[in-house]
Amino acid sequence: RRACAIIASSEEAVAGFPRSIRNKVFPLGNVGFASDELPESLRNSKPVTGAPGGPRHLVVFTTGRLVHWKGYSLLLKACGTYVRTGGRLMLWIGGSGPEEPRLRRLATRLGITGQVRFLGELPDRESVLAQLAACDVFAMPTLHDGPPVVFLEAMAVGKPVICVDLGGASDIITPECGVKLPAGTPPEVIAALAQAFERLAASPELCQKLGAAGRKRIQECFDWDRKGELIRQLYLDCLAPRSGRF
């Protein structure tokens, strides 16, 4: 209550403060992306939907620690649904973790081992960025997370992001730069994921439009220099005598 201003990590975090002080809580976030973090060769990469595999072939990439709350099982089941209805898709899964054996068994049970590649632990950021450049779409239906940095990396490379409207994902992804699915029951999320695959596979133009909007959003909302300037201004406002802001 005595603070002049409070910096929060997300809009969700702001909602956790008492209503009486929310007017001085600012959701500036704790993630960002500088333009020089992206190799020059990737700054103008475009979606590759349609190749290889012909029309409606979609390459979906996801990566992270393979734990249950990241929603990888939902992603696999959505792939199974999409493939059973005639969709053509490849799912690349990067990372390792305690859920990997179960996810491999699930892919086998769903009959989609030919459409799923487990890439293992990606050794460095350049490896992640290279996979992002080669895919069409990044998807992670995480159910409990802070703002995922990999979402920013995907947007910086110009790829649309599919996520569930929960936690930190809600603060990063907008309908202009990705597909934000309603947080429903597992069957509802699986069906919505499969529908998102179909929609994006059918329209390379939409992938490009969403990817371009993601790059713009990175520059306008998540650039570290811009964030630094906002924080500097916040300090100046707090130090200004009788500024009236707070």
Side-chain angles (χ1 to χ4, degrees):
R1 289 184 174 86
R2 296 174 60 188
C4 177
I6 302 168
I7 296 175
S9 62
S10 66
E11 291 284 357
E12 186 179 51
V14 173
F17 285 88
R19 290 183 180 275
S20 59
I21 63 171
R22 285 183 197 169
N23 65 314
K24 61 179 181 180
V25 183
F26 298 87
L28 297 183
N30 57 2
V31 296
F33 196 93
S35 58
D36 60 2
E37 294 182 61
L38 194 65
E40 183 68 36
S41 61
L42 299 182
R43 293 179 190 177
N44 295 307
S45 60
K46 295 182 179 180
V48 294
T49 304
R56 300 190 72 234
H57 184 99
L58 191 73
V59 179
V60 179
F61 174 53
T62 189
T63 188
R65 182 159 168 74
L66 302 185
V67 290
H68 71 276
W69 67 80
K70 298 282 188 181
Y72 296 116
S73 62
L74 301 176
L75 196 55
L76 283 170
K77 290 176 182 178
C79 290
T81 297
Y82 180 63
V83 169
R84 284 195 300 273
T85 59
R88 305 185 68 176
L89 174 146
M90 285 294 299
L91 174 63
W92 301 342
I93 301 176
S96 62
E99 283 288 284
E100 183 174 348
R102 191 175 76 87
L103 294 173
R104 287 182 177 273
R105 290 194 299 270
L106 178 59
T108 299
R109 189 164 71 249
L110 293 170
I112 55 172
T113 53
Q115 287 78 32
V116 180
R117 288 174 54 196
F118 287 90
L119 305 177
E121 194 73 37
L122 298 176
D124 48 38
R125 193 179 203 184
E126 287 70 22
S127 301
V128 174
L129 293 172
Q131 295 296 332
L132 285 168
C135 76
D136 297 311
V137 178
F138 183 83
M140 183 189 286
T142 181
L143 306 174
H144 178 69
D145 236 327
V149 174
V150 70
F151 283 16
L152 302 184
E153 294 170 333
M155 293 160 67
V157 177
K159 306 298 175 169
V161 175
I162 304 175
C163 68
V164 176
D165 190 6
L166 285 171
S170 298
D171 294 327
I172 295 179
I173 304 305
T174 67
E176 289 73 33
C177 65
V179 181
K180 192 156 59 172
L181 308 174
T185 64
E188 289 171 342
V189 173
I190 291 165
L193 280 166
Q195 291 167 7
F197 296 155
E198 182 175 6
R199 178 184 172 206
L200 294 174
S203 178
E205 296 78 15
L206 178 59
C207 284
Q208 292 181 16
K209 180 181 178 181
L210 295 173
R215 279 181 167 147
K216 183 179 179 182
R217 180 162 169 76
I218 285 285
Q219 295 164 0
E220 293 180 350
C221 302
F222 295 98
D223 179 77
W224 280 123
D225 290 338
R226 182 176 175 82
K227 279 178 173 281
E229 178 56 31
L230 289 172
I231 293 172
R232 187 184 77 87
Q233 189 59 53
L234 195 58
Y235 274 107
L236 291 175
D237 288 349
C238 288
L239 293 171
R242 301 185 183 277
S243 66
R245 181 168 183 177
F246 306 110

